[in-house]
Amino acid sequence: MTTADSIMSAFTTLLVTLDPPGLAPIFLGLTAGLDTAQRRQVALRGTLIAFAILTVFALFGAGILSVLGISMGAFRIAGGLLLFWIAFEMIFQRRNDRKEETSKVAITIDHIQNIAVFPLALPLIAGPGAISATVLLAGSFAAPLDRAILILMLAIAMATVLAALMVAQRLDRFLGVTGRALLTRLLGVLLAALSVQFVVDGIRSAFAL
């Protein structure tokens, strides 16, 4: 049975990698020209699709790794390094720039009705960092009850993302450029520490230390 500390750590990892405040201004750019009802529809559809994607990886990600012959220890090391790179991008404000570039390209090649799928659900919400974090956490939440707790945490984290998207305009106005930059950097530092812990756990697992 997982402990309260491990649950809190897992939930923090999910929230930081999903980055609800950082998604808000990008969502506004994606949905420019849509009315409030259409924005809500896009936000709801995008978060539901992202939740489905991450749930599949939470349930079957470890099995896929096993079929490929990749140990959980090795994946923890690789996933930790990937999360550290994402943390580095957050600290130096490169992640949002990359997401904004992705959203601009998507608008030119995709119909406005499909932005809930691409790029909102994938790769902006359920991106490489969120997928890696989900698979890593699934390795620590292996028992059926623990896996159900992980799915519940995913649902709560997605509800937080949905809430941020629903109030994106007000949230963006409240935080401002300085507030967003400060919050993103603080979350990046936190994610860097969590990613190092994943690498440490992976080395211990891989080398049976």
Side-chain angles (χ1 to χ4, degrees):
M1 183 65 181
T2 54
T3 64
D5 286 344
S6 63
I7 291 174
M8 184 58 66
S9 176
F11 185 67
T12 302
T13 301
L14 288 173
L15 268 187
V16 171
T17 51
L18 290 170
D19 187 19
L23 285 171
I26 298 170
F27 175 73
L28 288 177
L30 274 176
T31 56
L34 300 185
D35 59 33
T36 303
Q38 290 172 323
R39 271 183 171 160
R40 287 177 178 171
Q41 184 179 5
V42 170
L44 180 60
R45 188 179 178 204
T47 50
L48 286 175
I49 293 170
F51 174 68
I53 292 170
L54 294 181
T55 298
V56 168
F57 277 97
L59 294 174
F60 306 111
I64 295 171
L65 292 179
S66 179
V67 169
L68 295 174
I70 301 172
S71 70
M72 185 52 67
F75 190 82
R76 280 193 180 118
I77 296 171
L81 293 174
L82 174 60
L83 292 180
F84 187 85
W85 174 251
I86 291 173
F88 178 86
E89 287 187 325
M90 290 174 73
I91 293 170
F92 291 97
Q93 203 63 28
R94 294 181 183 176
R95 192 186 188 202
N96 276 5
D97 293 342
R98 177 167 48 81
K99 283 186 173 184
E100 286 171 3
E101 187 62 32
T102 300
S103 67
K104 288 175 186 175
V105 172
I107 286 177
T108 61
I109 65 174
D110 237 41
H111 193 272
I112 194 72
Q113 292 179 348
N114 296 325
I115 61 175
V117 180
F118 174 81
L120 183 58
L122 189 72
L124 294 181
I125 300 177
I131 291 173
S132 298
T134 301
V135 177
L136 286 170
L137 294 172
S140 303
F141 289 72
L145 180 59
D146 294 341
R147 195 61 59 85
I149 292 173
L150 177 59
I151 301 299
L152 177 61
M153 284 191 291
L154 268 174
I156 296 172
M158 280 299 168
T160 306
V161 170
L162 178 59
L165 298 184
M166 291 290 192
V167 298
Q169 197 159 0
R170 278 178 283 179
L171 183 63
D172 188 51
R173 195 161 49 236
F174 173 75
L175 289 175
V177 176
T178 303
R180 285 200 312 271
L182 178 61
L183 185 58
T184 299
R185 282 167 170 79
L186 288 174
L187 292 175
V189 171
L190 184 59
L191 181 59
L194 290 168
S195 65
V196 170
Q197 187 61 53
F198 278 130
V199 172
V200 171
D201 292 342
I203 292 173
R204 285 175 178 167
S205 174
F207 297 99
L209 297 177

